[in-house]
Each structure stands twice: as C-alpha cells, then as structure tokens.
Amino acid sequence: MSRAGLWAKTIAGGLLMVIGGPALVEYIRPSDEELRKRYNPDLQKRSAEQGERRAQEFDDYVTKLKEWSKSDKSIWYAAQEELDAKRAALEAKRTQEKEQTRTQREEMRKEMLGEK
C-alpha cells in the first residue's frame, strides 16, 4: 500500500471519529422532553412545581453575580462580605429576640410577684 493511501485512511478514520462520534451521541441521546415523559407522574409533578422556583433562584443568583462583579473586589470576596453581613444581621436579630424574651419573662415575673 502506498504512503498516500495510508495517510488517506488515517485522515478518514480520524474524521470519522471526530465528526461521527459526537454525531452518534447526539442522535442516540434522548431529548429533555423525552426524559420527562419517562418520569413517573409524581416526579413529573414535583419537577413542574420546582422548575419555576429554581428558575427564579438562578435569576436571583445571576443578578447577585452582576452586582458583585461591579465591585472593585473579587467576586468571591464580595460574596463572602455579603454572606458575613447576612450572618451578622441574623445574629443581631436573634440577640434582639432573646432580649425581648428575657424582658417579657422579667415583666411576667414582676407581675407574678406583685400579685402575691
């Protein structure tokens, strides 16, 4: 066999693998709609219910990413700062609620002692 024929076979085989492989995978892979049809009815219902919520969560996340990217800092630092701020606000709220509960207990205790 000539050298040119060997090269032609090699190139043809390579093209078959590079182009034919992904084409075959795309041909045999089921579409998203076909996969959903294979779900049992409970999974279909749950997927439909959660789809809108997940889409909204993704949109919110993308909006946050856009806000963080406007900062001079790295996105990771901006995200961590926001997370720290949320934690601090939550901790402050818990502390305030504990203080209110303690105050209410004190008032109740004073009322109980005052009535006796």
Side-chain angles (χ1 to χ4, degrees), residues 1-10:
M1 178 173 271
S2 71
R3 221 175 168 101
L6 186 60
W7 275 103
K9 281 185 178 181
T10 304

Side-chain angles (χ1 to χ4, degrees), residues 41-55:
D42 293 336
L43 284 177
Q44 286 179 356
K45 181 181 173 186
R46 195 176 335 150
S47 176
E49 290 172 355
Q50 293 179 358
E52 292 177 16
R53 181 184 56 83
R54 287 186 178 180

Side-chain angles (χ1 to χ4, degrees), residues 16-76:
L16 180 66
M17 283 190 267
V18 169
I19 296 171
L24 177 65
V25 169
E26 190 65 31
Y27 176 73
I28 62 173
R29 188 182 77 195
S31 68
D32 291 341
E33 194 59 39
E34 290 171 340
L35 287 175
R36 281 190 200 101
K37 287 180 184 177
R38 293 181 188 173
Y39 285 174
N40 69 29
D42 293 336
L43 284 177
Q44 286 179 356
K45 181 181 173 186
R46 195 176 335 150
S47 176
E49 290 172 355
Q50 293 179 358
E52 292 177 16
R53 181 184 56 83
R54 287 186 178 180
Q56 183 61 41
E57 287 175 356
F58 179 75
D59 290 342
D60 294 342
Y61 181 70
V62 169
T63 304
K64 291 278 187 193
L65 281 177
K66 288 178 183 178
E67 289 175 15
W68 295 335
S69 67
K70 291 178 184 176
S71 173
D72 294 340
K73 302 173 187 171
S74 168
I75 289 178
W76 305 113

